Amino acid sequence: MSSRESYLEHVPSTHMPSFTATLKASKHIIAVAGAGLSAASGIPTFRGAGGLWRKYNAMGLATPQAFHANPSRVWQFYHYRREKALAAQPNPGHLALAMFSIPSLRHTLAPGSEFTLITQNVDGLSRRALEQIAATHPELAEEVRSPAVQDSVLEMHGRLFDVVCTNEACQHREHNASSPICPALAGTENVFAKDEPEPHIDEADLPRCSKCGSLARPGVVWFEEMPWHLDRIDELLEKADLCIVVGTSSTVYPAAGYAYAVQENGGKTAVFNLDRSEGDQDADYLFLGPSEVTLPKALGLQ
């Protein structure tokens, strides 16, 4: 069978009531989120129009080798990303997923269901969405802060605001949302934001480990490094009966294969993307448009 014949045989449904019925009947739900989820918050994407990896060489900025060769440049890039994330706020897509992760709310839409968000994003906006809900809905604060909800967010590519010691004997990791994280990086976000000349920052002036004083690195998972939570994700994929894909180009593995794995195990898939993406013709449901609009509507959490 040709790929064209296969495509003509299966056309994803765009019928929202059908998706709502599938959601209601599902018991083991996962969502796989990519950079498109945070785009409406002002966070640059990677592979879409205007994406970071279209303008900059990912291998020169997001690998262990790149950091070893030029920690000044890599830290300036991550300082830029940290500043963008600090200036951002969770958008309605983040908030819809956060609300859906709260059992007392989710069970009105999908009775007796479990839910896990697997995010490839490092910006921390999914966790900030939970904090925002706890702050604006005090009656939900205790539930939001419970392990059941906090542990339902898996940040598989690490955290932008974690800082990790590069000394193998130390490897201390800590959260640090300071702006800037060190004085020497102040203003260097304009190297990437406004194409200003790149200064060279001495290694001694870059972020240091608070415990041993060694050079520190961003606490993200770089290309060629192992994503987090893979064992738990494998367990979730085996029993998932619905996979919601949000804002991802489905080109970075292993996450790109998650929807396919769920379908192979008999589950349904629903894709929420701004534009068509690789493999979305195989989805059971496809909703094109801004995820900050389509996702709250689909989850009944507008």
Side-chain angles (χ1 to χ4, degrees), residues 165-223:
C165 182
T166 59
N167 182 345
E168 290 290 328
C170 179
Q171 296 187 348
H172 174 66
R173 176 184 291 268
E174 67 181 27
H175 178 81
N176 186 327
S178 299
S179 171
I181 189 173
C182 68
L185 287 169
T188 63
E189 64 271 19
N190 291 330
V191 173
F192 294 92
K194 300 179 180 179
D195 289 326
E196 289 187 0
E198 175 191 342
H200 175 76
I201 301 173
D202 288 340
E203 188 172 307
D205 295 325
L206 292 172
R208 315 299 293 184
C209 174
S210 64
K211 283 206 167 181
C212 75
S214 298
L215 178 66
R217 57 161 279 183
V220 300
V221 175
W222 281 325
F223 293 104

Side-chain angles (χ1 to χ4, degrees), residues 10 12-13 19 22 26 30 32 240-245 257-264 266-272 279-287:
H10 175 78
S13 172
F19 171 77
T22 296
S26 300
I30 64 171
V32 180
D241 49 12
L242 175 61
C243 177
I244 299 168
V245 178
Y258 290 167
Y260 176 76
V262 170
Q263 283 188 315
E264 283 289 285
K268 302 287 188 181
T269 60
V271 174
F272 295 81
D280 67 10
Q281 71 274 6
D282 299 321
D284 296 285
Y285 300 96
L286 176 61
F287 300 105

